[in-house]
PDB file of all heavy atoms in Angstrom:
ATOM      1  N   ALA A 957       4.138   0.615  -1.181  1.00  0.00           N
ATOM      2  CA  ALA A 957       4.714  -0.469  -0.366  1.00  0.00           C
ATOM      3  C   ALA A 957       6.231  -0.499  -0.442  1.00  0.00           C
ATOM      4  O   ALA A 957       6.897  -0.913   0.508  1.00  0.00           O
ATOM      5  CB  ALA A 957       4.135  -1.809  -0.817  1.00  0.00           C
ATOM      6  N   GLU A 958       6.779  -0.057  -1.603  1.00  0.00           N
ATOM      7  CA  GLU A 958       8.223  -0.198  -1.811  1.00  0.00           C
ATOM      8  C   GLU A 958       8.988   1.112  -1.699  1.00  0.00           C
ATOM      9  O   GLU A 958      10.201   1.138  -1.877  1.00  0.00           O
ATOM     10  CB  GLU A 958       8.463  -0.808  -3.213  1.00  0.00           C
ATOM     11  CG  GLU A 958       7.943  -2.234  -3.301  1.00  0.00           C
ATOM     12  CD  GLU A 958       8.036  -2.811  -4.716  1.00  0.00           C
ATOM     13  OE1 GLU A 958       8.486  -2.089  -5.638  1.00  0.00           O
ATOM     14  OE2 GLU A 958       7.646  -3.976  -4.882  1.00  0.00           O
ATOM     15  N   HIS A 959       8.300   2.201  -1.405  1.00  0.00           N
ATOM     16  CA  HIS A 959       8.960   3.505  -1.410  1.00  0.00           C
ATOM     17  C   HIS A 959       9.876   3.656  -0.182  1.00  0.00           C
ATOM     18  O   HIS A 959       9.419   3.515   0.967  1.00  0.00           O
ATOM     19  CB  HIS A 959       7.899   4.614  -1.415  1.00  0.00           C
ATOM     20  CG  HIS A 959       8.455   5.944  -1.763  1.00  0.00           C
ATOM     21  ND1 HIS A 959       9.071   6.761  -0.847  1.00  0.00           N
ATOM     22  CD2 HIS A 959       8.516   6.595  -2.946  1.00  0.00           C
ATOM     23  CE1 HIS A 959       9.473   7.865  -1.432  1.00  0.00           C
ATOM     24  NE2 HIS A 959       9.146   7.781  -2.719  1.00  0.00           N
ATOM     25  N   ALA A 960      11.140   3.983  -0.425  1.00  0.00           N
ATOM     26  CA  ALA A 960      12.131   3.967   0.660  1.00  0.00           C
ATOM     27  C   ALA A 960      11.755   4.922   1.798  1.00  0.00           C
ATOM     28  O   ALA A 960      11.858   4.565   2.972  1.00  0.00           O
ATOM     29  CB  ALA A 960      13.509   4.316   0.102  1.00  0.00           C
ATOM     30  N   GLN A 961      11.293   6.134   1.446  1.00  0.00           N
ATOM     31  CA  GLN A 961      10.975   7.093   2.518  1.00  0.00           C
ATOM     32  C   GLN A 961       9.713   6.689   3.285  1.00  0.00           C
ATOM     33  O   GLN A 961       9.624   6.885   4.495  1.00  0.00           O
ATOM     34  CB  GLN A 961      10.784   8.483   1.944  1.00  0.00           C
ATOM     35  CG  GLN A 961      12.107   9.219   1.750  1.00  0.00           C
ATOM     36  CD  GLN A 961      11.869  10.472   0.940  1.00  0.00           C
ATOM     37  OE1 GLN A 961      11.461  10.405  -0.215  1.00  0.00           O
ATOM     38  NE2 GLN A 961      12.091  11.605   1.566  1.00  0.00           N
ATOM     39  N   ILE A 962       8.735   6.143   2.563  1.00  0.00           N
ATOM     40  CA  ILE A 962       7.516   5.691   3.258  1.00  0.00           C
ATOM     41  C   ILE A 962       7.879   4.541   4.200  1.00  0.00           C
ATOM     42  O   ILE A 962       7.461   4.512   5.358  1.00  0.00           O
ATOM     43  CB  ILE A 962       6.416   5.269   2.244  1.00  0.00           C
ATOM     44  CG1 ILE A 962       5.970   6.480   1.425  1.00  0.00           C
ATOM     45  CG2 ILE A 962       5.230   4.638   2.967  1.00  0.00           C
ATOM     46  CD1 ILE A 962       4.943   6.184   0.345  1.00  0.00           C
ATOM     47  N   LEU A 963       8.703   3.617   3.711  1.00  0.00           N
ATOM     48  CA  LEU A 963       9.116   2.478   4.548  1.00  0.00           C
ATOM     49  C   LEU A 963       9.842   2.952   5.808  1.00  0.00           C
ATOM     50  O   LEU A 963       9.642   2.416   6.894  1.00  0.00           O
ATOM     51  CB  LEU A 963      10.053   1.575   3.751  1.00  0.00           C
ATOM     52  CG  LEU A 963       9.363   0.528   2.879  1.00  0.00           C
ATOM     53  CD1 LEU A 963      10.319   0.014   1.804  1.00  0.00           C
ATOM     54  CD2 LEU A 963       8.861  -0.628   3.727  1.00  0.00           C
ATOM     55  N   ARG A 964      10.670   3.972   5.658  1.00  0.00           N
ATOM     56  CA  ARG A 964      11.467   4.452   6.783  1.00  0.00           C
ATOM     57  C   ARG A 964      10.636   5.320   7.742  1.00  0.00           C
ATOM     58  O   ARG A 964      10.702   5.148   8.953  1.00  0.00           O
ATOM     59  CB  ARG A 964      12.663   5.267   6.246  1.00  0.00           C
ATOM     60  CG  ARG A 964      13.623   5.759   7.333  1.00  0.00           C
ATOM     61  CD  ARG A 964      14.879   6.361   6.718  1.00  0.00           C
ATOM     62  NE  ARG A 964      14.606   7.428   5.767  1.00  0.00           N
ATOM     63  CZ  ARG A 964      14.291   8.682   6.092  1.00  0.00           C
ATOM     64  NH1 ARG A 964      14.221   9.035   7.357  1.00  0.00           N
ATOM     65  NH2 ARG A 964      14.056   9.592   5.154  1.00  0.00           N
ATOM     66  N   MET A 965       9.819   6.220   7.174  1.00  0.00           N
ATOM     67  CA  MET A 965       9.113   7.192   8.021  1.00  0.00           C
ATOM     68  C   MET A 965       7.736   6.711   8.491  1.00  0.00           C
ATOM     69  O   MET A 965       7.293   7.066   9.573  1.00  0.00           O
ATOM     70  CB  MET A 965       8.952   8.511   7.259  1.00  0.00           C
ATOM     71  CG  MET A 965      10.286   9.176   6.938  1.00  0.00           C
ATOM     72  SD  MET A 965      10.122  10.512   5.725  1.00  0.00           S
ATOM     73  CE  MET A 965       9.317  11.801   6.666  1.00  0.00           C
ATOM     74  N   TYR A 966       7.049   5.915   7.656  1.00  0.00           N
ATOM     75  CA  TYR A 966       5.680   5.482   7.983  1.00  0.00           C
ATOM     76  C   TYR A 966       5.541   3.989   7.678  1.00  0.00           C
ATOM     77  O   TYR A 966       4.773   3.582   6.793  1.00  0.00           O
ATOM     78  CB  TYR A 966       4.653   6.280   7.160  1.00  0.00           C
ATOM     79  CG  TYR A 966       4.886   7.773   7.215  1.00  0.00           C
ATOM     80  CD1 TYR A 966       5.564   8.424   6.189  1.00  0.00           C
ATOM     81  CD2 TYR A 966       4.462   8.524   8.322  1.00  0.00           C
ATOM     82  CE1 TYR A 966       5.815   9.785   6.250  1.00  0.00           C
ATOM     83  CE2 TYR A 966       4.706   9.883   8.393  1.00  0.00           C
ATOM     84  CZ  TYR A 966       5.378  10.506   7.353  1.00  0.00           C
ATOM     85  OH  TYR A 966       5.617  11.852   7.427  1.00  0.00           O
ATOM     86  N   PRO A 967       6.290   3.155   8.408  1.00  0.00           N
ATOM     87  CA  PRO A 967       6.303   1.725   8.060  1.00  0.00           C
ATOM     88  C   PRO A 967       4.920   1.080   8.089  1.00  0.00           C
ATOM     89  O   PRO A 967       4.668   0.137   7.331  1.00  0.00           O
ATOM     90  CB  PRO A 967       7.228   1.095   9.106  1.00  0.00           C
ATOM     91  CG  PRO A 967       7.555   2.151  10.096  1.00  0.00           C
ATOM     92  CD  PRO A 967       7.200   3.476   9.518  1.00  0.00           C
ATOM     93  N   ALA A 968       4.005   1.592   8.917  1.00  0.00           N
ATOM     94  CA  ALA A 968       2.671   0.968   8.959  1.00  0.00           C
ATOM     95  C   ALA A 968       1.904   1.212   7.655  1.00  0.00           C
ATOM     96  O   ALA A 968       1.072   0.391   7.258  1.00  0.00           O
ATOM     97  CB  ALA A 968       1.874   1.490  10.152  1.00  0.00           C
ATOM     98  N   VAL A 969       2.183   2.326   6.978  1.00  0.00           N
ATOM     99  CA  VAL A 969       1.531   2.584   5.684  1.00  0.00           C
ATOM    100  C   VAL A 969       2.042   1.566   4.657  1.00  0.00           C
ATOM    101  O   VAL A 969       1.261   0.948   3.922  1.00  0.00           O
ATOM    102  CB  VAL A 969       1.808   4.025   5.198  1.00  0.00           C
ATOM    103  CG1 VAL A 969       1.316   4.216   3.769  1.00  0.00           C
ATOM    104  CG2 VAL A 969       1.169   5.036   6.144  1.00  0.00           C
ATOM    105  N   ALA A 970       3.362   1.369   4.639  1.00  0.00           N
ATOM    106  CA  ALA A 970       3.937   0.391   3.696  1.00  0.00           C
ATOM    107  C   ALA A 970       3.445  -1.011   4.026  1.00  0.00           C
ATOM    108  O   ALA A 970       3.128  -1.796   3.113  1.00  0.00           O
ATOM    109  CB  ALA A 970       5.464   0.456   3.754  1.00  0.00           C
ATOM    110  N   ALA A 971       3.329  -1.321   5.327  1.00  0.00           N
ATOM    111  CA  ALA A 971       2.863  -2.658   5.736  1.00  0.00           C
ATOM    112  C   ALA A 971       1.430  -2.890   5.269  1.00  0.00           C
ATOM    113  O   ALA A 971       1.083  -3.990   4.816  1.00  0.00           O
ATOM    114  CB  ALA A 971       2.962  -2.809   7.249  1.00  0.00           C
ATOM    115  N   ALA A 972       0.596  -1.869   5.373  1.00  0.00           N
ATOM    116  CA  ALA A 972      -0.797  -2.011   4.924  1.00  0.00           C
ATOM    117  C   ALA A 972      -0.839  -2.171   3.405  1.00  0.00           C
ATOM    118  O   ALA A 972      -1.581  -3.003   2.878  1.00  0.00           O
ATOM    119  CB  ALA A 972      -1.614  -0.791   5.347  1.00  0.00           C
ATOM    120  N   ALA A 973      -0.026  -1.389   2.697  1.00  0.00           N
ATOM    121  CA  ALA A 973      -0.050  -1.441   1.222  1.00  0.00           C
ATOM    122  C   ALA A 973       0.384  -2.812   0.710  1.00  0.00           C
ATOM    123  O   ALA A 973      -0.219  -3.350  -0.224  1.00  0.00           O
ATOM    124  CB  ALA A 973       0.839  -0.341   0.649  1.00  0.00           C
ATOM    125  N   ILE A 974       1.386  -3.404   1.338  1.00  0.00           N
ATOM    126  CA  ILE A 974       1.926  -4.667   0.804  1.00  0.00           C
ATOM    127  C   ILE A 974       0.969  -5.829   1.042  1.00  0.00           C
ATOM    128  O   ILE A 974       1.045  -6.854   0.369  1.00  0.00           O
ATOM    129  CB  ILE A 974       3.333  -4.980   1.400  1.00  0.00           C
ATOM    130  CG1 ILE A 974       4.081  -6.019   0.556  1.00  0.00           C
ATOM    131  CG2 ILE A 974       3.252  -5.463   2.834  1.00  0.00           C
ATOM    132  CD1 ILE A 974       4.429  -5.583  -0.815  1.00  0.00           C
ATOM    133  N   GLU A 975       0.028  -5.646   1.960  1.00  0.00           N
ATOM    134  CA  GLU A 975      -0.918  -6.747   2.227  1.00  0.00           C
ATOM    135  C   GLU A 975      -2.200  -6.626   1.406  1.00  0.00           C
ATOM    136  O   GLU A 975      -3.046  -7.514   1.444  1.00  0.00           O
ATOM    137  CB  GLU A 975      -1.259  -6.801   3.722  1.00  0.00           C
ATOM    138  CG  GLU A 975      -0.064  -7.159   4.584  1.00  0.00           C
ATOM    139  CD  GLU A 975      -0.442  -7.969   5.815  1.00  0.00           C
ATOM    140  OE1 GLU A 975      -1.256  -8.892   5.706  1.00  0.00           O
ATOM    141  OE2 GLU A 975       0.106  -7.659   6.879  1.00  0.00           O
ATOM    142  N   VAL A 976      -2.361  -5.542   0.671  1.00  0.00           N
ATOM    143  CA  VAL A 976      -3.610  -5.355  -0.089  1.00  0.00           C
ATOM    144  C   VAL A 976      -3.730  -6.410  -1.194  1.00  0.00           C
ATOM    145  O   VAL A 976      -2.825  -6.562  -2.015  1.00  0.00           O
ATOM    146  CB  VAL A 976      -3.656  -3.938  -0.711  1.00  0.00           C
ATOM    147  CG1 VAL A 976      -4.760  -3.852  -1.764  1.00  0.00           C
ATOM    148  CG2 VAL A 976      -3.870  -2.885   0.366  1.00  0.00           C
ATOM    149  N   GLY A 977      -4.866  -7.091  -1.208  1.00  0.00           N
ATOM    150  CA  GLY A 977      -5.284  -7.955  -2.319  1.00  0.00           C
ATOM    151  C   GLY A 977      -4.245  -8.914  -2.851  1.00  0.00           C
ATOM    152  O   GLY A 977      -3.904  -9.908  -2.211  1.00  0.00           O
ATOM    153  N   THR A 978      -3.727  -8.615  -4.039  1.00  0.00           N
ATOM    154  CA  THR A 978      -2.795  -9.481  -4.757  1.00  0.00           C
ATOM    155  C   THR A 978      -1.754  -8.581  -5.429  1.00  0.00           C
ATOM    156  O   THR A 978      -1.970  -7.367  -5.561  1.00  0.00           O
ATOM    157  CB  THR A 978      -3.520 -10.244  -5.881  1.00  0.00           C
ATOM    158  OG1 THR A 978      -3.986  -9.273  -6.836  1.00  0.00           O
ATOM    159  CG2 THR A 978      -4.705 -11.038  -5.381  1.00  0.00           C
ATOM    160  N   PRO A 979      -0.643  -9.163  -5.935  1.00  0.00           N
ATOM    161  CA  PRO A 979       0.324  -8.315  -6.652  1.00  0.00           C
ATOM    162  C   PRO A 979      -0.329  -7.568  -7.819  1.00  0.00           C
ATOM    163  O   PRO A 979      -0.032  -6.400  -8.056  1.00  0.00           O
ATOM    164  CB  PRO A 979       1.364  -9.323  -7.151  1.00  0.00           C
ATOM    165  CG  PRO A 979       1.273 -10.468  -6.187  1.00  0.00           C
ATOM    166  CD  PRO A 979      -0.163 -10.545  -5.764  1.00  0.00           C
ATOM    167  N   GLN A 980      -1.250  -8.228  -8.522  1.00  0.00           N
ATOM    168  CA  GLN A 980      -1.897  -7.570  -9.668  1.00  0.00           C
ATOM    169  C   GLN A 980      -2.691  -6.352  -9.210  1.00  0.00           C
ATOM    170  O   GLN A 980      -2.660  -5.294  -9.849  1.00  0.00           O
ATOM    171  CB  GLN A 980      -2.839  -8.554 -10.393  1.00  0.00           C
ATOM    172  CG  GLN A 980      -2.141  -9.683 -11.097  1.00  0.00           C
ATOM    173  CD  GLN A 980      -1.901 -10.898 -10.183  1.00  0.00           C
ATOM    174  OE1 GLN A 980      -1.949 -10.789  -8.968  1.00  0.00           O
ATOM    175  NE2 GLN A 980      -1.618 -12.037 -10.790  1.00  0.00           N
ATOM    176  N   ILE A 981      -3.420  -6.510  -8.108  1.00  0.00           N
ATOM    177  CA  ILE A 981      -4.232  -5.391  -7.605  1.00  0.00           C
ATOM    178  C   ILE A 981      -3.322  -4.255  -7.139  1.00  0.00           C
ATOM    179  O   ILE A 981      -3.590  -3.082  -7.402  1.00  0.00           O
ATOM    180  CB  ILE A 981      -5.160  -5.877  -6.469  1.00  0.00           C
ATOM    181  CG1 ILE A 981      -6.235  -6.790  -7.061  1.00  0.00           C
ATOM    182  CG2 ILE A 981      -5.811  -4.714  -5.725  1.00  0.00           C
ATOM    183  CD1 ILE A 981      -6.992  -7.608  -6.048  1.00  0.00           C
ATOM    184  N   ARG A 982      -2.235  -4.602  -6.486  1.00  0.00           N
ATOM    185  CA  ARG A 982      -1.319  -3.550  -6.001  1.00  0.00           C
ATOM    186  C   ARG A 982      -0.600  -2.858  -7.165  1.00  0.00           C
ATOM    187  O   ARG A 982      -0.217  -1.694  -7.071  1.00  0.00           O
ATOM    188  CB  ARG A 982      -0.285  -4.157  -5.033  1.00  0.00           C
ATOM    189  CG  ARG A 982      -0.911  -4.718  -3.776  1.00  0.00           C
ATOM    190  CD  ARG A 982       0.120  -5.026  -2.716  1.00  0.00           C
ATOM    191  NE  ARG A 982       1.015  -6.113  -3.024  1.00  0.00           N
ATOM    192  CZ  ARG A 982       0.774  -7.403  -2.783  1.00  0.00           C
ATOM    193  NH1 ARG A 982      -0.378  -7.777  -2.269  1.00  0.00           N
ATOM    194  NH2 ARG A 982       1.673  -8.330  -3.076  1.00  0.00           N
ATOM    195  N   ASN A 983      -0.425  -3.584  -8.270  1.00  0.00           N
ATOM    196  CA  ASN A 983       0.207  -2.992  -9.443  1.00  0.00           C
ATOM    197  C   ASN A 983      -0.723  -2.061 -10.196  1.00  0.00           C
ATOM    198  O   ASN A 983      -0.279  -1.261 -11.023  1.00  0.00           O
ATOM    199  CB  ASN A 983       0.673  -4.094 -10.410  1.00  0.00           C
ATOM    200  CG  ASN A 983       2.064  -4.564 -10.065  1.00  0.00           C
ATOM    201  OD1 ASN A 983       2.956  -3.742  -9.889  1.00  0.00           O
ATOM    202  ND2 ASN A 983       2.241  -5.851  -9.928  1.00  0.00           N
ATOM    203  N   GLN A 984      -2.010  -2.210  -9.966  1.00  0.00           N
ATOM    204  CA  GLN A 984      -3.003  -1.460 -10.730  1.00  0.00           C
ATOM    205  C   GLN A 984      -3.692  -0.399  -9.858  1.00  0.00           C
ATOM    206  O   GLN A 984      -3.933   0.721 -10.303  1.00  0.00           O
ATOM    207  CB  GLN A 984      -4.036  -2.473 -11.265  1.00  0.00           C
ATOM    208  CG  GLN A 984      -4.942  -1.960 -12.336  1.00  0.00           C
ATOM    209  CD  GLN A 984      -4.211  -1.680 -13.641  1.00  0.00           C
ATOM    210  OE1 GLN A 984      -3.166  -2.261 -13.904  1.00  0.00           O
ATOM    211  NE2 GLN A 984      -4.740  -0.769 -14.427  1.00  0.00           N
TER     212      GLN A 984
END
Side-chain angles (χ1 to χ4, degrees):
E958 294 174 359
H959 195 277
Q961 277 169 297
I962 295 177
L963 274 161
R964 183 171 55 78
M965 296 167 72
Y966 311 98
V969 171
I974 198 65
E975 295 213 43
V976 166
T978 64
Q980 292 88 342
I981 290 165
R982 296 193 292 274
N983 272 311
Q984 194 68 25

